[in-house]
Amino acid sequence: MARKPGQSATRTAKCASSYAEAVASELLPWFRRHQRELPWRQSADPYRVWLSEIMLQQTQVVTVIPYFERFVARFPTVTDLAQANEQDVLRLWEGLGYYRRARQLLAAAKVVASEHEGAFPNTLDGLQGLPGIGRYTAGAIASIAYDLPAPILEANTVRLLARLGAIAGDPTSADVQARLWKLAEDLLPHKRCGEFNQALMELGSLVCTPREPKCGECPLRELCAAFQQGRQDELPTPKPKQVFESVREAAVIVEHCGRVYLRQCGAGERWAGLWDFARFAVSAKRGRAFQEELTSKVREQAGLDVQRFEKLTTLKHGVTRFRITLDCYRAECTRPARLKPHSQWVKPTELADMPLSTTGRKLARLLVAQRVESRE
Ligand code: SF4
């Protein structure tokens, strides 16, 4: 905790250590009583810890559970994952979002298999040398799998620690991050660091919730500066409000001889590595100008001439700061030219096995349902 004016460094260190002991002595028994049974808690295998931590970034536990179970059933070890092809990994990841995580997972598995003989590094530096593993994930693996004294800081612990230490200011700013990391480090016990870190995350997730924290049932309320000061509702300081931008796009299912056109999204695109129908931003609102824009943009993107647009649906979705209205059509290809690289014609029945963009999957389901209906 912060040193009070006139307090010596030695005394501050002693206070900090007795404060940390008090936190651990309240928190660990609470965790043993209240922790949820989660599939990744069944063992301290670094592969499972790593996989769960990557999946849990920006994603809720309840969403992650089935993905985690499918993933470890298909790739039980890091060596199995290292041998996978990217399309299979992306298909298993489909719907979890932030697909860069999946590509980096595969890249890191390959490094573990080829440079570490299939064993995860057991140092923070070694772990942080792997693709996609930053300070937080390295700390989680090091502490949970190897019981190393490594602090962690993720969404739940940021909130909990900001309240525990009454740390105000934008939690994403460098100075607040530094203070939070310092507190996370000061609180670590000498042993059972992995259990302690999991307990912090669990308390943040179950009790010290973003809105209306359940301070009445919190084992740390006597030790919590925000609770003592009545500031638990104002901490952590809210991030500056996100300004959203509205965007209009169109997706076109181009059909030819019972197959549909797909293109693979390139590096730097929203769904890099996944497949999608022809899709682009549109500016014309309706009528002839809109039809002409669709035709010319399909030609530009896919190199295909199309006609007879049929409106299927409008999907609304959000990606980062964009609020997207996506008008979806099907159209006939009139002149199947040679396809550009990273594109192909596929049968609608093959779509189920391909990793598709989020809206691509919705459209694929719609297309298959329409074909079933039209046969009935
Ligand atoms: Fe969070 Fe309230 Fe517990 Fe403080 S007392 S850590 S604000 S739940």
Side-chain angles (χ1 to χ4, degrees):
M1 306 300 290
R3 192 194 313 177
K4 289 182 187 150
Q7 200 172 21
S8 73
T10 319
R11 189 162 158 232
T12 305
K14 274 190 190 152
C15 288
S17 114
S18 62
Y19 178 77
E21 281 165 19
V23 168
S25 71
E26 296 295 336
L27 185 61
L28 289 172
W30 174 88
F31 181 59
R32 286 168 201 147
R33 280 198 306 278
H34 295 279
Q35 66 172 304
R36 290 166 291 181
E37 274 189 30
L38 299 171
W40 46 89
R41 288 197 179 140
Q42 287 163 8
S43 87
D45 174 1
Y47 171 63
R48 293 170 71 96
V49 175
W50 168 59
L51 183 58
S52 65
E53 292 301 338
I54 299 289
M55 286 185 166
L56 285 164
Q57 289 168 12
Q58 326 262 6
T59 316
Q60 296 197 333
V61 165
V62 59
T63 307
V64 166
I65 291 173
Y67 280 90
F68 178 85
E69 287 176 332
R70 280 196 295 270
F71 210 94
V72 291
R74 178 77 181 275
F75 305 119
T77 68
V78 68
T79 315
D80 297 316
L81 177 58
Q83 290 162 3
N85 90 37
E86 187 181 280
Q87 294 295 289
D88 289 340
V89 174
L90 288 172
R91 180 67 186 96
L92 274 176
W93 202 272
E94 195 190 296
L96 261 188
Y98 301 95
Y99 294 93
R100 189 156 176 262
R101 295 182 295 176
R103 288 190 297 277
Q104 290 192 319
L105 205 67
L106 182 56
K110 287 181 194 294
V111 175
V112 172
S114 62
E115 294 176 21
H116 301 278
E117 297 173 357
F120 267 85
N122 60 3
T123 63
L124 275 176
D125 282 349
L127 288 163
Q128 285 190 83
L130 297 173
I133 297 193
R135 185 175 178 186
Y136 159 66
T137 308
I141 301 171
S143 62
I144 299 171
Y146 302 120
D147 204 26
L148 293 174
I152 56 157
L153 201 58
E154 43 69 76
N156 287 312
T157 41
V158 162
R159 184 172 60 253
L160 173 64
L161 296 180
R163 287 171 175 161
L164 212 52
I167 297 173
D170 177 359
T172 60
S173 68
D175 62 324
V176 173
Q177 282 275 311
R179 291 175 68 197
L180 292 168
W181 275 111
K182 172 81 171 60
L183 180 54
E185 208 171 316
D186 287 347
L187 289 179
L188 268 184
H190 297 299
K191 47 189 185 181
R192 310 193 79 89
C193 297
E195 189 184 12
F196 181 81
N197 280 340
Q198 290 182 84
L200 284 178
M201 289 190 275
E202 196 76 334
L203 189 70
S205 174
L206 298 180
V207 177
C208 196
T209 46
R211 273 178 288 280
E212 298 179 13
K214 304 174 185 77
C215 302
E217 43 189 272
C218 178
L220 302 184
R221 64 184 176 280
E222 299 301 327
L223 300 160
C224 174
F227 179 69
Q228 298 301 325
Q229 298 165 15
R231 296 170 65 204
Q232 63 270 37
D233 292 327
E234 66 189 65
L235 292 170
T237 306
K239 285 188 221 153
K241 268 222 158 66
Q242 173 89 58
V243 179
F244 293 107
E245 195 178 318
S246 295
V247 175
R248 280 186 63 233
E249 294 184 0
V252 182
I253 300 179
V254 180
E255 296 173 298
H256 180 66
C257 292
R259 292 174 187 249
V260 294
Y261 165 86
L262 283 186
R263 64 179 283 276
Q264 192 174 31
C265 303
E269 286 189 61
R270 202 180 285 150
W271 285 293
L274 282 81
W275 294 82
D276 203 358
F277 300 103
R279 177 178 173 141
F280 33 76
V282 282
S283 52
K285 293 248 163 21
R286 61 182 77 82
R288 194 171 175 151
F290 183 61
Q291 296 271 325
E292 283 173 3
E293 186 176 7
L294 288 183
T295 307
S296 83
K297 290 208 164 152
V298 171
R299 188 180 300 129
E300 191 183 308
Q301 188 174 73
L304 299 170
D305 285 335
V306 287
Q307 65 176 12
R308 291 202 195 136
F309 288 96
E310 177 196 338
K311 176 89 184 270
L312 291 172
T313 187
T314 297
L315 301 173
K316 289 189 187 275
H317 69 117
V319 179
T320 59
R321 67 190 169 86
F322 299 106
R323 290 289 170 267
I324 303 166
T325 302
L326 181 70
D327 287 323
C328 308
Y329 295 81
R330 60 200 292 181
E332 251 174 47
C333 175
T334 56
R335 194 173 54 85
R338 192 192 172 111
L339 289 179
K340 294 185 176 184
H342 304 290
S343 53
Q344 58 177 317
W345 292 105
V346 301
K347 292 182 191 157
T349 49
E350 293 166 343
L351 292 169
D353 294 327
M354 301 186 67
L356 298 182
S357 71
T358 308
T359 48
R361 176 63 62 204
K362 287 185 183 162
L363 275 179
R365 290 201 180 109
L366 191 65
L367 182 72
V368 170
Q370 282 194 345
R371 288 168 67 88
V372 169
E373 253 175 47
S374 68
R375 277 202 296 269
E376 282 170 355

